[in-house]
Amino acid sequence: MKLLQKRVFFIMLCLISILIMPAPAYADMGPKPSVVIDFKGLGNDKYYVTLLSEIASTGPHSALGEHPNNQRYHEDDEDYEIWEKFISYQDKDGYYFLQYFRECSETSQFTWGYYPPPEFKILIYFPEYDQFAVSEDVYDRYAFHSYYSVDAKGLELGSTTLTENIKAVRNYDYTWELISLFARIIATIAIEILVALLFGFRAKKQLLIIGAVNIVTQSILNILLNVINYSQGSMMFVFDYIWMEAFVFIIEAGIYSSLLPKYSSMVVTKKRLVILYALTANIVSFGLGLYIAYLIPGIF
């Protein structure tokens, strides 16, 4: 029993070390919604992109004159002339330019990662032609992190002063979501079986029970967490992860207490040992899951 206690102590010590590792701290640490737009078909043309907003202010971004002294660019700034062009643009539906824009020529991608407007139009400016291109349709922030793709091959640059041929389609990476979902489930099962071996649960039927239970609980847990992360973001994900993991522990502890002692190679397997295993396994998988999410944000 002393050997087992040492193993448990070692596992908990490793977990605590992981969780208290220093991380960068900021005044506004919580994750924020984002909009990411990929562009195709624009070749080597230099262009700048912004989102025109239905509302005049969102987060730190606002239309010129909406708040006192809110002018974002001045004559000495590098992109002042581009800012002036966007300021001069008048949208026919009254959508606002919130003074946020980016040159996207090299990356072919525009990212508004801090309080993007909930509903928006896509506006592109081509300085070589002194020409705007705007989306006729209005798009929305359909997920916490919303992805769109624009195929701009049909733009007739240089022939007119304005074109409304921009069409965007949702481009959420569901394939990666499925891959990360299966990876998390497999990793969790592997961790809990490893902890089971350290606790002395090594009978084939015991490991099969642990594996089967985890396939069910972790599949349900991770599918629910994926839905939460998609719609509400990683802050709510972590909040729900905590109480859901506690609920999973209660379920697993009950099942393991009933079934694992029946197939134990030990003379006596006390239920409190089984419960301790369930608690340790869930804490370890929970802690490592958060740490992996910190190292690889896209995994959740």
Side-chain angles (χ1 to χ4, degrees):
M1 190 66 184
K2 288 184 178 180
L3 180 59
L4 176 60
Q5 291 174 342
K6 290 180 179 179
R7 289 173 176 173
V8 173
F9 177 76
F10 175 74
I11 293 171
M12 299 300 289
L13 182 63
C14 291
L15 178 62
I16 292 171
S17 299
I18 289 172
L19 293 179
I20 65 174
M21 287 182 69
Y26 302 95
D28 191 4
M29 288 185 63
K32 301 296 182 290
S34 67
V35 172
V36 179
I37 304 174
D38 291 312
F39 292 91
K40 302 176 183 178
L42 290 176
N44 297 321
D45 290 314
K46 189 173 184 178
Y47 61 97
Y48 294 81
V49 179
T50 188
L51 303 181
L52 299 177
S53 174
E54 183 186 31
I55 55 179
S57 178
T58 172
H61 309 290
S62 60
L64 182 64
E66 181 68 15
H67 305 295
N69 302 318
N70 75 329
Q71 182 171 330
R72 297 289 297 274
Y73 287 82
H74 300 85
E75 291 187 13
D76 294 335
D77 294 332
E78 180 180 356
D79 290 327
Y80 176 73
E81 291 183 1
I82 305 299
W83 173 83
E84 279 191 312
K85 289 294 183 180
F86 279 119
I87 285 292
S88 67
Y89 177 79
Q90 298 293 319
D91 180 66
K92 67 176 185 178
D93 297 315
Y95 276 59
Y96 299 92
F97 168 56
L98 303 187
Q99 305 188 71
Y100 179 84
F101 63 92
R102 285 292 180 267
E103 181 187 350
C104 304
S105 314
E106 295 184 3
T107 63
S108 300
Q109 184 180 84
F110 172 80
T111 300
W112 192 320
Y114 196 78
Y115 291 105
E119 293 191 354
F120 54 86
K121 291 182 178 182
I122 302 167
L123 181 65
I124 309 176
Y125 176 65
F126 299 91
E128 181 179 351
Y129 305 98
D130 191 24
Q131 181 178 346
F132 286 101
V134 65
S135 62
E136 185 174 7
D137 296 329
V138 175
Y139 300 98
D140 65 334
R141 216 170 57 202
Y142 62 87
F144 195 82
H145 300 295
S146 303
Y147 297 87
Y148 284 94
S149 178
V150 171
D151 190 343
K153 292 179 181 177
L155 291 181
E156 297 179 1
L157 298 176
S159 60
T160 59
T161 57
L162 177 68
T163 179
E164 293 185 340
N165 292 335
I166 298 177
K167 297 290 183 182
V169 294
R170 293 183 180 184
N171 192 34
Y172 201 88
D173 195 349
Y174 294 100
T175 301
W176 167 248
E177 289 295 326
L178 289 174
I179 292 173
S180 63
L181 173 64
F182 286 121
R184 295 198 305 272
I185 293 172
I186 292 171
T188 301
I189 294 173
I191 291 169
E192 299 214 7
I193 288 180
L194 178 61
V195 175
L197 294 174
L198 294 174
F199 269 80
F201 300 119
R202 298 172 181 173
K204 184 178 180 179
K205 288 188 176 180
Q206 288 179 322
L207 297 179
L208 287 174
I209 290 170
I210 292 171
V213 169
N214 271 278
I215 288 174
V216 175
T217 58
Q218 294 304 318
S219 294
I220 295 173
L221 172 67
N222 280 278
I223 289 172
L224 290 175
L225 289 175
N226 260 41
V227 172
I228 292 167
N229 189 51
Y230 174 87
S231 59
Q232 301 178 55
S234 54
M235 186 67 77
M236 187 59 67
F237 164 88
V238 172
F239 173 78
D240 287 326
Y241 190 6
I242 294 172
W243 73 261
M244 286 182 179
E245 190 67 52
F247 188 63
V248 167
F249 157 68
I250 294 172
I251 294 174
E252 291 183 352
I255 296 174
Y256 294 158
S257 297
S258 175
L259 298 179
L260 292 187
K262 295 180 180 180
Y263 306 102
S264 178
S265 58
M266 306 176 190
V267 177
V268 178
T269 300
K270 295 182 178 180
K271 286 188 176 182
R272 64 183 182 183
L273 177 62
V274 177
I275 294 174
L276 179 61
Y277 155 68
L279 178 62
T280 304
N282 278 276
I283 289 176
V284 170
S285 62
F286 172 77
L288 289 177
L290 289 182
Y291 185 60
I292 291 171
Y294 170 74
L295 290 178
I296 314 172
I299 199 68
F300 287 117

